[in-house]
Amino acid sequence: MQIRNWDDYQNNYQKSVEDPEKFWGEIADQFIWKKPYKKVLDWDFETPSIKWFEGGSLNITENCLDRHVKTHPNKKAIIWEPNDPNDDGLTWTYQELYNEVCSFANVLKKHGVVKGDRVCLYMPMVPQLAVAVLACARIGAVHSVVFAGFSAQSLADRIDDAKCKLIVTTDGAFRGQKEIPIKGIVDEAVSKCDCVEKIIVFKRTEQYVSMTAQRDVWWHEEMENASTDCPAEEMESEDMLFILYTSGSTGKPKGVVHTCGGYMVYSHYSFTNVFQYEADDIYWCTADIGWITGHSYIVYGPLLAGATTLMFEGIPTWPDAGRFWAICDKYKVNQFYTAPTAIRSLMSKGLEPVARYSLNSLKVIGSVGEPINEEAWRWYNTYIGKNKCPIVDTWWQTETGGIMISPIPNVTDIRPTYATYPLPGIQPILLDKDGNEIKENNVEGLLCIKFPWPSIVRTLYGDHERLKQTYFSTFKGYYFTGDGAKRDTQGRYRIIGRVDDVINVSGHRMGTAEVENAINEHPWVVESAVVGYPHDIKGQGIYAYIIPDRHIESEQAFIDEVNETVRKEIGPIAKPDIIQVVSGLPKTRSGKIMRRILRKIASGDISTLGDTSTLLNPDIVEEIIEKSPMIKK
Ligand code: WT7
């Protein structure tokens, strides 16, 4: 299934469009199925209802582990690099990982977890997180990984929405020089939920934690006597594999649901092709398993391919800005996959930290999560890839489960800042605002997908109607991505960014409404409006306009309090970069906030504000401009 040259790509692409069932059927046949599927695909985007490999049953962990244990038990599966470069790392072979996973699966079973139960994983980047993910899959429990940077409130919302009955966590986390009280956050979250029966705690930092009798148990104690024999649960192809919460333009985060068969086929297929992984390569994706990138391209994709996947616990800038490159040299990393925000932040530290390392093991380097600007692309290409590593700018989403549009190294061509061509099986189109397909090239439009692929989102947990509304109703018959894109004369795509009220801060996806709701929790806030603005390192920064209900004596003290409120409600990643206290917000006569104007001001560009005289309160625009830190006077 690995595409080797341009002809191969074109033939595969054509076949995937002309006869998708045959195309995906042949790929699916390369996996271990417990029962063969009867029908490759059954779909309609109206309901919407999408079923891949119906009638088939499988367990994804047999494909990630058992089959590799048979052929190469001693190959390294996971290499773990700890936060502190002076601490011992850890390596697990496929055999060792298999044993860990089966043992922990038995621990979960012992604590009453059965097929279909939801299990929340709130852990930093320790290898036990990968074990917990796979152990859930082994017994058919649905994992919901929550990024360990989210606050107790956010964690509680996610636990409660999915009604998780068990949580796996750690005592604490190391991140650079910080030590974070993970278990304390879990305790606070659990006090707000009544579905949690058990908490399993892996000891990482050895900091003091309080353990509630009957409810909380230690990972290492439970694992002591656990058997390494755990038969894989038989799952229907469309049984749920996991839930992953992500932000939308409105309301609370939605639980994106992926299912077993299709996700397995596509995460493997896309991994193999986009990274052109070869048998002895060391592959490293710097994402956190708390995001979809970590699910698909740290855990499932690489392990399905029998690859060696590196997991890093720390941050790119500690002990210094050369850490990523030190790790690349230390393990002779061949494929390196990171985010533009990390590239920009390291770029700002100069060349000295890069020059210390050879980086000569690298073959392919990748980018994901947000549009990569030309300057960052060139720096990455010159100083990291040394002009010899194809850059794969991979466009995809939590909802797509896997990479959709991306160069294929040494197969398709590269154009800086372009995600270029769709992978075989992916049929992107551009629509105009009225929903008409733009067929020619050298155009710009709204990015939709017109045919299902195996890892498309199946439902939003507990709210199928919202799935339909969000993705399948804007343009009938198409999956709407929420992104705008360009297509050049050669048919290559460049993703411009979101066209809805979703912002992308350091590759983290956030709903402006979600941040506003958090801000509004502060008792003095009457109303707020949040917009994104261009930020040199984060890609987008968060700019919040806030109306208080009283005269503010110390603006800084008030701003600090609002920041603290957001940190508590969502987490540090959602803290506004700029807060401007205002006496009103520009509104239309029907009372709608004119975000377009607020976005312009936040970006420092007031030359094209347009006609503001039809506003309900035109004077407010002047006042906001006058006090905005972004407008040079
Ligand atoms: C949104 C999805 C998918 C993994 C990480 C983000 C933006 C993602 C690119 C790229 C330009 C990109 C889009 C997309 N995005 N990759 N290569 N170029 N933009 O997943 O949190 O679900 O966010 O990230 O706007 O819609 P996510």
Side-chain angles (χ1 to χ4, degrees), residues 44-50 458 464 467-468 472:
D44 84 81
F45 276 178
E46 193 69 33
T47 308
S49 157
I50 303 144
R458 299 302 198 275
H464 197 71
L467 177 86
K468 180 175 177 165
F472 298 94

Side-chain angles (χ1 to χ4, degrees), residues 178-424:
K178 287 198 205 122
E179 200 175 312
I180 298 146
I182 298 290
K183 174 62 161 58
I185 297 171
V186 170
D187 289 339
E188 192 187 330
V190 169
S191 72
K192 302 171 198 267
C193 309
D194 46 25
C195 48
V196 178
E197 293 163 19
K198 280 270 153 28
I199 304 178
I200 303 178
V201 188
F202 176 76
K203 202 176 259 188
R204 170 65 187 112
T205 59
E206 315 247 317
Q207 68 199 67
Y208 172 79
V209 296
S210 90
M211 297 287 278
T212 300
Q214 314 302 319
R215 189 195 68 181
D216 303 352
V217 297
W218 288 108
W219 173 294
H220 62 273
E221 288 178 4
E222 296 297 311
M223 288 289 267
E224 250 164 47
N225 304 312
S227 156
T228 57
D229 180 24
C230 179
E233 186 75 35
E234 181 167 347
M235 306 295 286
E236 298 300 316
S237 180
E238 283 300 338
D239 277 344
M240 247 189 278
L241 175 62
F242 66 83
I243 305 172
L244 184 57
Y245 286 86
T246 191
S247 297
S249 50
T250 55
K252 51 183 183 109
K254 37 197 186 195
V256 169
V257 170
H258 285 290
T259 57
C260 298
Y263 180 82
M264 169 178 76
V265 168
Y266 198 75
S267 57
H268 184 182
Y269 180 76
S270 52
F271 171 77
T272 311
N273 280 300
V274 170
F275 297 102
Q276 290 288 306
Y277 184 84
E278 304 286 337
D280 295 318
D281 288 347
I282 308 290
Y283 161 88
W284 180 22
C285 165
T286 70
D288 192 291
I289 294 177
W291 311 111
I292 191 69
T293 309
H295 282 62
S296 302
Y297 301 112
I298 294 178
V299 182
Y300 287 115
L303 296 177
L304 284 162
T308 301
T309 177
L310 197 154
M311 263 182 90
F312 174 44
E313 183 184 39
I315 58 172
T317 49
W318 190 80
D320 62 54
R323 188 69 192 278
F324 273 2
W325 323 128
I327 296 173
C328 284
D329 274 11
K330 177 173 176 190
Y331 297 102
K332 307 216 173 352
V333 169
N334 302 111
Q335 290 90 4
F336 174 76
Y337 190 28
T338 195
T341 187
I343 298 168
R344 286 189 300 262
S345 114
L346 296 176
M347 191 168 90
S348 75
K349 306 275 196 279
L351 287 175
E352 189 277 324
V354 185
R356 277 185 262 144
Y357 304 98
S358 88
L359 299 178
N360 58 16
S361 54
L362 293 175
K363 296 196 285 191
V364 172
I365 57 179
S367 166
V368 61
E370 49 176 318
I372 182 163
N373 50 310
E374 179 120 14
E375 197 193 353
W377 195 98
R378 301 238 171 250
W379 188 87
Y380 198 31
N381 187 48
T382 309
Y383 299 108
I384 308 305
K386 317 265 193 207
N387 295 304
K388 66 171 175 54
C389 302
I391 296 185
V392 289
D393 177 355
T394 63
W395 174 81
W396 57 300
Q397 309 177 300
T398 304
E399 296 87 339
T400 71
I403 295 167
M404 303 284 281
I405 306 183
S406 167
I408 300 177
N410 311 314
V411 170
T412 63
D413 58 14
I414 302 280
R415 179 171 177 189
T417 77
Y418 276 67
T420 71
Y421 298 109
L423 296 192

